[in-house]
Amino acid sequence: MSSARNDSSCANWVAAEMEWIATLRPAQSAIATTMADALADAAAVISGDQRDQVVAKARAQVAPGVRCVVYQLPPEARGASTSDDPAIARLSASQCEIYTYRAGVTADALAHAERELGMRVPPRWSKYLMAPSMLETSWPDHEHFLRIYDVDDIIEITKVALSFVPDWGAVMIGDCGGGMSDSLQLDVRAGDASPVLLFSSQGHSLSDLTVQTETIEEFITLIESDRFEPVFDEDRAYRPRY
């Protein structure tokens, strides 16, 4: 039977054949080097054999100042007896880390970003950013990395990008691991009808943008269900109607 359980006694946490572990920790805490560190420093640990159950239970506890990190144990570590079992303790935390979640932004913070950039973030993306918790990073199977920007990143990366390319109404919302060189962006002129676009590191014009999803809603659905993969197909070049 699948389960997800919350164990506040982190030092004596028991794996019990569990594949997924989520830790709740201060948002500004140091990055854990090993899984032993990750578990020892956690304020709470949620474990289970079903990813969706573990993630949902952990995200419900995310709050301002609290960050959720979700790990996937390799098969050889899933039967470890306790958190200090060598099968778990010596594992690299970064190699097990799959997702991170953070608290959503405030309306005031988002309004500040819009004033700084002189543009309005499409309402559907604003709603996602202001949710109780939002995806921060995703790296399923350590294959397709994804980072979703908070408001500070949106301001910084968008300003940097627009210092190199014409200001046609783009706002940066994330990247696929390379920062501005493979940034995900929205066309604010289209509002909620904007597709999600990927900017090529070699690109200098709108023709260098590839459509990742036709709508913001579709993009949110994909990243929340762990099904987003970047598209590099030239046939999906962006052809705006503006």
Side-chain angles (χ1 to χ4, degrees):
M1 180 181 295
S2 64
S3 64
R5 66 191 191 85
N6 194 344
D7 191 341
S8 59
S9 179
C10 303
N12 296 317
W13 176 84
V14 179
E17 298 294 339
M18 297 303 182
E19 178 178 358
W20 296 94
I21 304 170
T23 63
L24 282 300
R25 52 196 301 117
Q28 302 303 320
S29 60
I31 297 174
T33 302
T34 66
M35 285 303 298
D37 295 334
L39 294 166
D41 296 340
V45 174
I46 296 91
S47 63
D49 55 4
Q50 296 295 314
R51 185 204 64 169
D52 291 349
Q53 291 181 12
V54 172
V55 169
K57 191 167 184 178
R59 287 184 71 171
Q61 299 183 48
V62 171
V66 177
R67 183 168 176 259
C68 169
V69 184
V70 181
Y71 303 95
Q72 184 180 27
L73 294 179
E76 63 271 17
R78 294 172 193 170
S81 57
T82 64
S83 60
D84 56 5
D85 188 305
I88 290 181
R90 296 174 185 172
L91 288 173
S92 165
S94 63
Q95 290 301 310
C96 295
E97 182 179 308
I98 303 296
Y99 314 103
T100 62
Y101 297 90
R102 60 169 173 255
V105 307
T106 65
D108 287 345
L110 185 58
H112 169 71
E114 292 179 329
R115 288 193 300 269
E116 282 285 309
L117 297 173
M119 63 179 75
R120 189 179 181 212
V121 176
R124 182 62 187 94
W125 190 247
S126 296
K127 182 178 179 181
Y128 182 72
L129 292 176
M130 292 190 292
S133 70
M134 56 174 286
L135 181 69
E136 180 181 39
T137 62
S138 172
W139 199 10
D141 299 322
H142 285 193
E143 185 172 352
H144 299 297
F145 183 82
L146 174 67
R147 185 196 330 273
I148 301 299
Y149 295 159
D150 64 12
V151 287
D152 291 335
D153 291 328
I154 288 174
I155 294 171
E156 179 182 357
I157 303 299
T158 300
K159 284 186 173 181
V160 170
L162 296 182
S163 69
F164 288 96
V165 299
D167 183 357
W168 54 269
V171 62
M172 311 300 155
I173 63 168
D175 65 62
C176 297
M180 193 186 74
S181 65
D182 59 4
S183 62
L184 294 161
Q185 53 191 264
L186 303 176
D187 184 343
V188 299
R189 300 170 301 174
D192 278 349
S194 171
V196 174
L197 308 165
L198 180 67
F199 177 75
S200 165
S201 60
Q202 305 301 317
H204 298 284
S205 68
L206 291 179
S207 62
D208 297 303
L209 293 165
T210 54
V211 175
Q212 302 301 295
T213 61
E214 295 293 339
T215 66
I216 298 170
E217 190 66 47
E218 181 187 358
F219 179 69
I220 292 171
T221 298
L222 290 177
I223 65 174
E224 285 290 320
S225 60
D226 198 23
R227 293 185 291 119
F228 175 75
E229 294 183 8
V231 176
F232 301 97
D233 189 345
E234 293 183 359
D235 292 336
R236 292 179 63 86
Y238 186 40
R239 296 176 176 83
R241 300 183 296 275
Y242 306 95

